[in-house]
Amino acid sequence: MTEPKDSSFAVQRRSGNIDATLYWSLTSGITGPGPAAGQDIPSVPSAESDREAIAAAAAMLRSGGTVAFPTETVYGLGADARNTPAVEAVFAAKGRPSDNPLIVHIARREELEGLVIGVHPVASALMDAFWPGPLTLVLPVRPGVLSPLVTAGLDTVGVRMPGHPVALALLRAAECPVAAPSANRSGRPSPTLAAHVMEDLAGYIGGVLDGGAAGVGLESTVVQVQPDGTVAVLRPGGITAEQLAAVAGTGAVAPAPALALADAAAGHSGGQSQATPPQVSGGGTGGAAAQAAEGSPAPRAPGMKYTHYAPRGALGIVRGSSPQRVAETAASLLQAAQREGGITGLLLFEEHRALYPADPAACVVSLGSLASPEEAARSLYAALRRFDEAGATYILAEACPVTGLGAAIMNRLMKAAGEAVIDAG
């Protein structure tokens, strides 16, 4: 991956000065989707080794260290949100832009009072419905409580209560608010396994709690409730706009302000105007999204400004009037890239596999059925990492509808591709 050179980045290069990243494998980690948002989260089983691991990780957080831990969305890289040197270590390990705010994780609702000034009744209703779970609320921060790095100098902070037993046990044991972005190198696909964390950050963070595979697979939905009670979706995620509207009221939810999503849904081209290969560099440092980020104000939530989630190879999204047109265009472009010596990759949905010729790319990964977007969400980041393992230099992905979880899936794909969309007609 190309290292970011822009001065807005907190560091230009990681400085690995940790002798060894501690690794704790938990026998009580959960796999699969886990309980639905808002439901009771089961306690971590009482295995002595697990209790000791969580206690050790909590002590590391309290002493100013950094710990990666599982949540129901992805693995997070945690630090005491009140401790500026600890938060600096998170930015340094990730190479994260310093104007990209962090989400604060809590284990108990009553902790909010010490972190924020007031909670709108609609925000409170959303917490009732979806906490613990993959929903982050941007709230007015209480001055002087958190490190200013957490809020990127803004007067708001994103807060959530994760729906994972290991995360909740760690937060309770640490007894501090924990700032935690995804536990990956900035710009890379987010980690859904502890192995992904170790691949990106071993030697640069204090420890990793391995609690199994993340259930949702995409980061939390981030919302901000306006004074009039409307809900602005700043980042789509594990809680859909439809679910939010069921609580806040029909017409009260404003979708994520991402014109690229609407353009992609209509078959319009974002970074590309014709059915040609995306001319973007690997690692997600090019493309329209990255260029638009230059000079723009600090985002209110993670994932709003910079290119994220990118594999090392160039990625483009193919959209068209029919699956057949998409498959024909993608197959033709992949063949051309292969003739030019590229190592090709294809990300498709299972219903469309038969539309492609045999072996359309060197690495073909299915996101499962379009009828099961939960499966696609859980497997998306692992799929993007599969292309890196295969050494893919040119990758095409099928677009999907932007309803329900599809909005979050397309948001992540558009970010990963630098908004490079190929119109198949």
Side-chain angles (χ1 to χ4, degrees), residues 232-299:
V233 179
L234 305 181
R235 180 182 73 184
I239 301 297
T240 67
E242 292 84 353
Q243 289 175 294
L244 295 170
V247 175
T250 304
V253 177
L259 294 178
L261 281 180
D263 287 343
H268 297 158
S269 177
Q272 297 297 118
S273 59
Q274 299 176 1
T276 55
Q279 301 299 313
V280 297
S281 61
T285 57
Q291 295 166 8
E294 299 292 336
S296 58

Side-chain angles (χ1 to χ4, degrees), residues 57-58 60-69 76-91 102-105 146-147 150 170-171 174 176-181:
M60 184 176 288
L61 288 173
R62 286 195 302 273
S63 66
T66 52
V67 176
F69 60 95
L77 176 58
D80 184 343
R82 305 164 302 181
N83 185 332
T84 291
V87 176
E88 284 177 338
V90 170
F91 279 89
L102 304 181
I103 292 171
V104 173
H105 294 64
L146 301 174
S147 165
V150 171
L170 175 65
L171 293 169
C176 64
V178 172

Side-chain angles (χ1 to χ4, degrees), residues 348-421:
L348 51 69
F349 290 91
E350 198 59 37
E351 292 94 330
H352 305 155
R353 188 185 289 270
L355 300 176
Y356 291 87
D359 301 320
C363 180
V364 179
V365 182
S366 172
L367 288 178
S369 171
L370 276 170
S372 301
E374 296 83 3
E375 181 182 357
R378 282 195 297 273
S379 58
L380 176 60
Y381 291 142
L384 294 177
R385 287 177 178 266
R386 283 267 305 277
F387 293 124
D388 287 346
E389 294 168 4
T393 57
Y394 180 83
I395 308 159
L396 295 179
E398 295 184 342
C400 70
V402 294
T403 56
L405 266 180
I409 294 167
M410 279 300 295
N411 171 271
R412 302 316 192 267
L413 279 174
M414 292 292 285
K415 286 285 187 179
E419 298 189 5
V421 178

Side-chain angles (χ1 to χ4, degrees), residues 126-163:
L126 293 174
M127 294 176 196
D128 291 340
F130 301 116
W131 277 13
L135 179 68
T136 295
L137 290 113
V138 175
L139 302 166
V141 67
R142 187 174 293 278
V145 174
L146 301 174
S147 165
L149 291 178
V150 171
T151 61
L154 299 172
D155 59 359
T156 56
V157 62
V159 184
R160 91 177 186 98
M161 185 187 297

Side-chain angles (χ1 to χ4, degrees), residues 269-330:
S269 177
Q272 297 297 118
S273 59
Q274 299 176 1
T276 55
Q279 301 299 313
V280 297
S281 61
T285 57
Q291 295 166 8
E294 299 292 336
S296 58
R300 288 273 167 185
M304 293 182 65
K305 182 174 179 181
Y306 296 95
T307 300
H308 293 277
Y309 324 116
R312 294 189 175 93
L315 171 65
I317 302 169
V318 185
R319 179 81 191 191
S321 58
S322 70
Q324 184 70 48
R325 294 293 295 271
V326 168
E328 290 172 353
T329 298

